[in-house]
Amino acid sequence: MQTSVQNTARITDIIYFHGMTLQVITYEGIKYVTARNLVDLAGLDWRTAKRSLLDEENILLYAVKLFKSPVIAAQSGSPTTPNDVIHIQLNRAYFYLARINTKIMKAMGKATAAEKLLNLQIEWAQVLHDYETKGVAIKDKNKTDTAELMNLMKLRQMANPTEKIAFTHLLHQKMTELGLPISNQQQDLLNQ
């Protein structure tokens, strides 16, 4: 059985990622996030980070890919960015953040963001250690899942009618993924 891979980038999910809402973009069957959002989250200079991301080793490490990024467009807007955008494979996003030097962030006046990131890096170091020594690492995702659902609900509320349908489907998908019941009224919204 042959599976077809869609070459068009499309937004397939919206996630709540350490205080930031990120669009997950699927391109050639692989999930990505825009690198610029991660750089902004870390409070780094985009030009410097861009040069680093396009370094040969970092392209491999973070699975960097350049392609036109889809956007949630207004009624007459373009559905994609005009130029290629740097994307990092979603499963490498945490590793990208883990390698950021928080001392440099502090020197750039981003002390609060640096402290938050340093705390995450310490947590991730423990998780990696647990995985390597015990073969498993476990995290309570309850708070993150609730924040994601709330964020999707807010985005759906603010969306125009066309976008509202897409956000409704994403909300349904997330609720299903979390095993939450979907009422008949919510199901009716999906069928509109």
Side-chain angles (χ1 to χ4, degrees), residues 47-187:
R47 291 172 298 194
T48 305
K50 181 179 175 181
R51 278 192 303 275
S52 175
L53 283 165
L54 296 176
D55 176 69
E56 185 178 344
E57 285 187 9
N58 287 336
I59 288 173
L60 293 173
L61 181 61
Y62 306 123
V64 171
K65 190 96 167 173
L66 278 81
F67 56 86
K68 289 183 181 7
S69 191
V71 293
I72 299 175
Q75 288 179 327
S76 61
S78 170
T80 59
T81 54
N83 299 317
D84 284 346
V85 175
I86 299 172
H87 294 82
I88 293 176
Q89 199 167 302
L90 178 61
N91 66 354
R92 313 282 177 96
Y94 291 100
F95 201 68
Y96 174 75
L97 292 174
R99 294 187 72 209
I100 290 173
N101 186 337
T102 55
K103 186 175 179 180
I104 293 172
M105 290 173 65
K106 287 178 184 175
M108 294 173 57
K110 310 285 185 181
T112 303
E115 285 300 319
K116 281 183 171 180
L117 183 56
L118 181 59
N119 287 333
L120 285 172
Q121 290 171 336
I122 291 167
E123 178 185 339
W124 296 336
Q126 182 61 49
V127 168
L128 182 58
H129 175 75
D130 289 350
Y131 175 76
E132 288 296 328
T133 58
K134 300 173 188 167
V136 66
I138 299 171
K139 179 177 181 167
D140 179 19
K141 282 189 57 186
N142 241 359
K143 291 179 185 176
T144 305
D145 290 337
T146 302
E148 273 186 66
L149 284 173
M150 293 301 294
N151 208 24
L152 275 173
M153 286 185 242
K154 286 178 190 174
L155 289 168
R156 184 186 174 282
Q157 217 169 15
M158 296 184 307
N160 69 36
T162 307
E163 294 168 343
K164 192 168 276 199
I165 294 168
F167 282 117
T168 301
H169 283 283
L170 286 172
L171 188 57
H172 176 263
Q173 182 181 15
K174 189 67 183 171
M175 289 175 72
T176 302
E177 178 185 311
L178 296 173
L180 297 173
I182 297 170
S183 70
N184 290 338
Q185 184 181 13
Q186 290 168 325
Q187 191 63 44

